[in-house]
């Protein structure tokens, strides 16, 4: 037992040396940078047996938490949900807690949260110290080879989304680009000239269908003020002008539409119709 | 089979065999029973309709005559006491009431674009479900309805919040934004109104929708963007002043100049420490954090930091695991912070947002009342670091092998 401890401690120190130069960027494992291999350890569990931190599952997810701690509670609840979501997939889940907390306290917490994943007890905070965990809760995600893919300290916004994203990416369910879109989600801004242009165009289309040409023309022109390069708006303008009998102006509008979008079907057929009609006696 | 009068094929034969009086009695009795049954059915169907409406706003919205306001949930309570004068929800404003926003089809008198009839007084039912009609022109909103995070009322019906005709509020809203949002989000109403420290972003300009997109978004809580990206919309400028007249940090500038950033800043999660809806602690902090340079150690005072950082780091004088800021096993965090009187608070050594020096060590500390800054010159080593003479004599530490007192 003592020999094991000495071996473990020496190994920890050696690894510590390796990891000391690891970049300390946005991470909570100060001695394990993403891309590095995490040393696997077997730890006693809350239920009395022993279990490894990592397995040969395609994805390993482990979380450092502590009882009576709001962010830990939120995280454990989310992990429970995620575990159910990924049920049947090669994802291994564990939670790690310091042995400085009373087992009864940990048990009560886990029970209250309905947390069903294995809870490993970090005796003497050795694993905590080995990785130099700077935050709690903190989630680590590794691949099958135990390479650290993500080091995720708790965030109040999008935490579960990001964890899910990393797992799905590792399971090859989403692409690199999709993961990036999760990490840096596109801004959901309302309004803007482009949107208003489309709105007026659609409205103009409805007015045109209802035979209200003047109003339709007014709106299509508003659309073009917002976005002068909107080919569909020029094409609709052509249709309206054509319906009003303004052949030359309509042709001009169709030409502008086709200049912007040579494949615009409305403009192609509209222009074609006008030219064919003019050939008829 | 008492009431089978109208169903019985032998009724004629039987009627012939009855006296006129008996027949009349029978008819009256049957009619009464039918009337009673009809009344029951009407009551039941009315109740069922009411339940369906409450559960499905889309159905509710498609009715020609909108249900009374009491059919709505929390928003209704607001609506009943709201300031939309003289009209039930979803109907045009009464004549003479000046509209702040006007929907083009209504303004143009084109009822037929949405309704069955071109008659402003009786336009008839809608052509199709209300959201389908709206999205015909407002197709850009499909992006939000299909976003990762969506808003129930929006999915239910656009007219939960908007009036499709006109409104005394901008964007055809049924109420002003705050009233509309807080009508359902009553918990937020309490938070924002009772907050000792208020955040202008929740009150001014577009209020809630300064940060949230009520239609849908790609970030939790319907945030338009990640918190940091939103915050720097205002806090990335030089002229932001707090309620006491203090100029606030320009974070775009600060972060451009200081690459050593605190985790939440790096993770764009300002809400890790700040509550954007307001609260009781200075600078909108979410929990207690010492405002002063010195303070007796009390874990309660560091509640904010201990949301993420391990409190035991500051409570155990000796450790091999809890912190790298130790000389051998002597815990230097404990040494600096855990004192009964002049304990150094986090701010004594660390910048909370970003710094030039490693481990978020600040550039200097204010000394005296003249604003002079005493430089902190910290240099990290792979297993420790050195602080050049400033607060104390030059001292080094090594978390693997302790630096002896003499060497320090």
């Amino acid at each position: 037992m003592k020999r094991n401890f000495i071996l473990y401690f020496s190994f920890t120190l050696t690894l510590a040396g390796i990891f000391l130069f690891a970049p300390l960027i946005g991470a909570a494992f100060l001695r394990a940078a993403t891309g590095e291999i995490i040393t696997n350890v077997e730890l006693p569990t809350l239920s009395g047996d022993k279990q490894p931190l990592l397995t040969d599952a395609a994805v390993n997810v482990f979380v450092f938490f502590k009882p009576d701690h709001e962010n830990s509670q939120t995280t454990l609840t989310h992990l429970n949900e995620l575990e159910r979501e990924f049920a049947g997939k090669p994802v291994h889940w564990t939670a790690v807690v310091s042995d400085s907390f009373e087992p009864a306290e940990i048990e009560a917490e886990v029970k209250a949260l309905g947390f069903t994943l294995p809870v490993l007890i970090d005796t003497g905070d050795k694993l905590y110290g080995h990785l130099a965990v700077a935050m709690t809760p903190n989630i680590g995600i590794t691949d099958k080879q135990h390479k650290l893919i993500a080091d995720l300290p708790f965030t109040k916004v999008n935490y579960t989304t990001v964890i899910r994203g990393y797992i799905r990416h590792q399971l090859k369910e989403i692409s690199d680009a999709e993961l990036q879109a999760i990490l840096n989600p596109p801004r959901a801004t309302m309004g803007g000239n482009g949107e208003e242009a489309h709105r007026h165009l659609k409205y103009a289309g409805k007015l045109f269908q209802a035979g209200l040409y003047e109003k339709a023309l007014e709106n299509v022109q508003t659309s073009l003020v917002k976005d002068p390069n909107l080919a569909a708006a020029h094409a609709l303008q052509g249709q309206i002008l054509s319906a009003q009998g303004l052949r030359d102006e309509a042709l001009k509008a169709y030409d502008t539409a086709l200049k912007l979008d040579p494949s615009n079907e409305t403009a192609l057929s509209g222009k074609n119709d006008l030219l064919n009609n003019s050939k008829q006696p | 089979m008492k009431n089978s009068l109208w169903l019985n094929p032998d009724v004629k034969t039987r009627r012939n065999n009855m006296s006129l009086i008996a027949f009349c009695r029978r008819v009256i009795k049957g009619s009464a029973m039918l009337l009673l049954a009809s009344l029951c059915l009407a009551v039941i169907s009315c109740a069922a309709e009411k339940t369906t409406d409450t559960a499905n706003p889309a159905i509710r919205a498609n009715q020609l005559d909108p249900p009374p306001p009491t059919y709505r949930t929390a928003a209704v309570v607001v609506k009943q006491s709201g300031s939309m004068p003289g009209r039930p929800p979803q109907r045009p404003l009464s004549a003479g009431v000046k509209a702040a926003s006007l929907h083009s089809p209504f303004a143009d008198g084109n009822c037929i674009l949405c309704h069955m009839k071109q008659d402003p007084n009786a336009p008839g039912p809608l052509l199709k479900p209300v959201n389908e009609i709206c999205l015909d022109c407002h197709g850009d909103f499909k992006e939000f309805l299909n976003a990762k995070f969506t808003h129930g009322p929006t999915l239910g019906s656009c007219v939960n919040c908007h009036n499709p005709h006109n409104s005394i509020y901008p964007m055809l809203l049924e109420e002003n934004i705050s009233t509309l949002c807080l009508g359902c989000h009553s918990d937020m109403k309490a938070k924002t109104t009772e907050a000792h420290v208020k955040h202008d972003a929740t009150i001014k300009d577009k209020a809630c929708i300064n940060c949230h997109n009520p239609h849908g978004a790609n970030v939790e809580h319907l945030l338009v963007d990640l918190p940091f990206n939103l915050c720097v919309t205002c806090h990335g400028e030089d002229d932001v002043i707090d309620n006491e007249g203090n100029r606030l940090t320009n974070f775009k500038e600060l972060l451009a100049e200081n690459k050593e950033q605190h985790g939440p800043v790096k993770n764009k999660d300002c809400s890790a420490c700040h509550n954007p809806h307001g609260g009781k602690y200075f600078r909108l902090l979410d929990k207690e954090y010492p405002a002063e340079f010195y303070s007796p150690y009390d874990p309660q005072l560091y509640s904010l930091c201990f949301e993420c950082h391990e409190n035991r780091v500051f409570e155990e004088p000796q450790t091999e695991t809890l912190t790298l800021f130790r000389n051998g096993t002597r815990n230097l965090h404990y040494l600096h912070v855990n004192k009964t009187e002049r304990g150094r608070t986090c701010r004594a050594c660390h910048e909370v947002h970003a710094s030039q020096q490693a481990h978020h060590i600040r550039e200097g500390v204010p000394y005296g009342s003249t604003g002079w800054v005493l430089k902190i010159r910290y240099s990290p080593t792979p297993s420790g670091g050195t602080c050049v003479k400033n607060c104390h004599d030059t001292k080094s530490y090594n978390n693997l092998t302790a630096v002896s007192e003499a060497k320090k």
Side-chain angles (χ1 to χ4, degrees):
Chain A
M1 188 71 181
K2 193 178 173 185
R3 192 169 162 267
N4 278 349
F5 176 76
I6 293 167
L7 269 173
Y8 180 85
F9 192 68
S10 333
F11 192 52
T12 303
L13 286 181
T14 315
L15 276 165
I18 295 166
F19 291 141
L20 279 173
F21 297 97
L24 311 177
I25 301 166
F29 298 135
L30 300 184
R31 281 181 173 162
T34 49
E36 292 181 2
I37 302 291
I38 298 285
T39 313
N40 199 6
V41 286
E42 196 176 62
L43 295 172
T45 68
L46 195 58
S47 49
D49 58 346
K50 279 195 158 192
Q51 282 198 26
L53 176 73
L54 311 168
T55 65
D56 61 357
V59 190
N60 285 282
V61 181
F62 58 97
V63 58
F64 282 87
F65 78 99
K66 57 183 180 179
D68 194 24
H69 182 242
E70 195 181 330
N71 292 347
S72 289
Q73 289 163 350
T74 307
T75 304
L76 293 188
T77 306
H78 289 326
L79 281 186
N80 235 3
E81 288 163 9
L82 283 171
E83 194 265 342
R84 282 197 287 273
E85 191 179 317
F86 286 97
K89 294 183 179 174
V91 185
H92 176 253
W93 310 79
T94 45
V96 184
V97 63
S98 167
D99 72 340
S100 63
F101 301 102
E102 289 295 327
E105 188 186 4
I106 304 168
E107 265 173 34
E109 179 91 358
V110 164
K111 197 177 170 190
L113 294 170
F115 189 69
T116 53
L117 307 177
V119 176
L120 309 186
I121 309 294
D122 186 14
T123 315
D125 292 311
K126 284 201 286 280
L127 183 59
Y128 184 97
H130 165 61
L131 296 169
V133 182
M135 317 250 186
T136 311
N138 195 69
I139 285 178
I141 302 177
T142 78
D143 66 5
K144 194 173 181 164
Q145 284 73 41
H146 304 170
K147 186 171 77 180
L148 188 65
I149 293 157
D151 172 359
L152 305 170
F154 180 80
T155 57
K156 285 223 171 120
V157 173
N158 270 15
Y159 197 39
T160 317
T161 307
V162 168
I163 299 164
R164 182 189 291 113
Y166 273 112
I167 297 172
R168 293 193 67 202
H169 182 252
Q170 193 55 35
L171 291 173
K172 304 198 186 313
E173 291 179 359
I174 58 169
S175 66
D176 291 353
E178 284 169 312
L179 177 62
Q180 279 312 311
I182 289 169
L183 301 179
N184 299 296
R187 201 177 171 98
T189 314
M190 291 182 281
N193 275 350
E195 289 170 9
E196 282 186 38
H198 276 280
R199 218 170 283 169
H200 282 282
L201 171 64
K202 292 280 185 184
Y203 180 44
K206 280 179 171 284
L207 291 165
F208 173 64
Q209 280 166 10
L212 302 162
Y213 300 144
E214 283 302 320
K215 273 283 169 195
L217 195 61
E218 201 177 285
N219 274 279
V220 90
Q221 279 160 355
T222 310
S223 171
L224 286 169
V225 168
K226 303 279 179 191
D227 183 359
N229 296 321
L230 192 57
H234 288 285
L236 180 60
Q237 191 177 29
Q239 284 182 296
I240 302 165
L241 292 167
S242 177
Q244 288 178 318
L246 301 165
R247 183 183 173 277
D248 291 346
E249 287 89 338
L251 277 173
K252 205 171 156 189
Y254 285 139
D255 283 338
T256 312
L258 291 169
K259 204 172 164 186
L260 291 164
D261 175 15
S263 61
N264 187 293
E265 283 183 14
T266 309
L268 280 171
S269 64
K271 185 178 176 181
N272 213 21
D273 288 348
L274 279 181
L275 293 176
N276 284 339
N277 286 342
S278 64
K279 282 177 192 165
Q280 287 170 5
Chain B
M1 297 297 283
K2 276 185 180 175
N3 295 316
S4 60
L5 178 68
W6 308 113
L7 304 175
N8 193 334
D10 298 332
V11 66
K12 277 185 184 173
T13 321
R14 288 168 62 190
R15 191 175 57 189
N16 290 339
N17 296 337
M18 279 187 230
S19 69
L20 186 62
I21 294 168
F23 174 72
C24 287
R25 267 189 201 147
R26 193 84 187 263
V27 168
I28 289 164
K29 195 177 170 188
S31 305
M33 292 302 283
L34 265 177
L35 189 66
L36 192 65
S38 309
L39 271 171
C40 285
L41 267 173
V43 168
I44 291 164
S45 68
C46 232
E49 193 175 315
K50 194 167 174 175
T51 314
T52 313
D53 283 345
T54 313
N56 189 346
I59 293 172
R60 183 175 75 227
N62 289 328
Q63 291 173 341
L64 175 60
D65 294 311
T70 42
Y71 280 25
R72 292 192 173 190
T73 53
V76 173
V77 179
V78 177
K79 194 171 295 302
Q80 285 172 325
S81 60
S83 53
M84 295 293 264
R87 67 184 183 86
Q90 303 166 11
R91 289 205 170 149
L93 292 168
S94 303
V97 179
K98 196 179 172 193
S101 53
L102 200 56
H103 198 202
S104 293
F106 173 72
D108 295 342
N110 293 321
C111 313
I112 196 76
L113 294 183
C114 304
H115 293 274
M116 292 287 191
K117 293 181 203 164
Q118 179 59 16
D119 178 357
N121 296 318
L126 292 173
L127 293 170
K128 51 185 173 179
V130 69
N131 277 17
E132 284 183 33
I133 294 178
C134 299
L135 292 172
D136 269 354
C137 290
H138 299 267
D140 45 306
F141 283 85
K142 280 181 193 163
E143 175 196 337
F144 304 130
L145 300 183
N146 295 324
K148 193 162 186 54
F149 301 97
T150 50
H151 193 203
T154 310
L155 292 178
S157 171
C158 304
V159 297
N160 273 326
C161 300
H162 297 280
N163 186 309
H165 303 104
N166 57 4
S167 171
I168 58 168
Y169 301 102
M171 295 174 284
L172 295 169
L173 288 170
E174 290 257 40
E175 299 280 355
N176 73 52
I177 290 163
S178 300
T179 311
L180 200 57
C181 300
L182 299 177
C184 287
H185 299 275
S186 49
D187 55 330
M188 210 46 75
K189 185 177 185 180
K191 269 187 194 169
T192 49
T193 51
E194 290 163 14
H196 172 63
V197 181
K198 295 190 193 302
H199 191 197
D200 274 355
T202 63
I203 307 159
K204 292 188 175 170
D205 196 18
K206 294 175 183 170
C208 311
I209 65 169
N210 280 324
C211 300
H212 301 276
N213 185 332
H215 303 104
N218 301 307
V219 179
E220 279 176 6
H221 311 301
L222 297 173
L223 286 171
V224 170
D225 205 334
L226 289 173
F228 176 82
N229 297 343
L230 284 175
C231 298
V232 293
T233 311
C234 295
H235 296 279
E237 291 171 6
D238 281 333
D239 53 354
V240 183
I241 311 284
D242 73 4
N243 292 334
E244 280 139 27
N246 303 309
R247 188 174 292 276
L248 298 177
T249 306
N250 176 338
F251 281 94
K252 271 186 190 164
E253 205 174 272
L254 180 85
L255 299 188
E257 291 166 0
N258 297 279
K259 297 298 180 192
E260 178 75 18
Q261 293 164 7
H262 193 198
V265 176
K266 203 163 259 303
N267 292 328
K268 301 193 172 217
D269 187 24
C270 306
S271 51
C273 303
H274 301 277
N275 189 335
H277 297 110
K280 63 190 238 192
Y281 303 107
F282 70 98
R283 290 280 181 269
L284 297 170
L285 290 176
D286 195 32
K287 288 203 164 74
E288 206 164 350
Y289 175 74
E292 305 301 329
F293 190 87
Y294 293 114
S295 171
Y297 179 71
D298 173 5
Q300 184 61 36
L301 199 58
Y302 295 90
S303 299
L304 183 73
C305 306
F306 295 161
E307 278 201 304
C308 295
H309 293 282
E310 182 55 61
N311 57 304
R312 290 180 297 145
V313 168
F314 307 91
E315 290 163 6
E316 296 188 11
Q318 300 288 327
T319 180
E320 289 176 354
T321 55
L322 293 174
T323 176
L324 296 178
F325 185 39
R326 60 178 200 266
N327 192 35
T329 59
R330 192 183 189 200
N331 183 345
L332 301 177
H333 266 125
Y334 174 89
L335 181 78
H336 282 80
V337 179
N338 198 323
K339 293 179 186 296
T340 46
E341 284 183 12
R342 286 160 63 89
R344 274 73 180 169
T345 62
C346 309
R347 68 172 65 240
C349 302
H350 297 286
E351 281 290 353
V352 289
H353 294 110
S355 66
Q356 300 271 359
Q357 306 202 73
H359 305 311
H360 320 307
I361 301 291
R362 60 192 290 178
E363 286 299 292
V365 290
Y367 191 87
S369 54
T370 56
W372 182 61
V373 172
L374 184 66
K375 278 273 190 192
I376 296 180
R377 280 169 292 170
Y378 170 75
S379 49
T381 64
S383 56
T386 300
C387 253
V388 175
K389 184 177 177 178
N390 39 43
C391 303
H392 47 63
D393 283 342
T394 298
K395 285 179 187 284
S396 298
Y397 69 97
N398 187 321
N399 51 41
L400 297 178
T401 315
V403 177
S404 69
E405 274 301 315
K407 260 189 170 178
K408 284 185 193 175

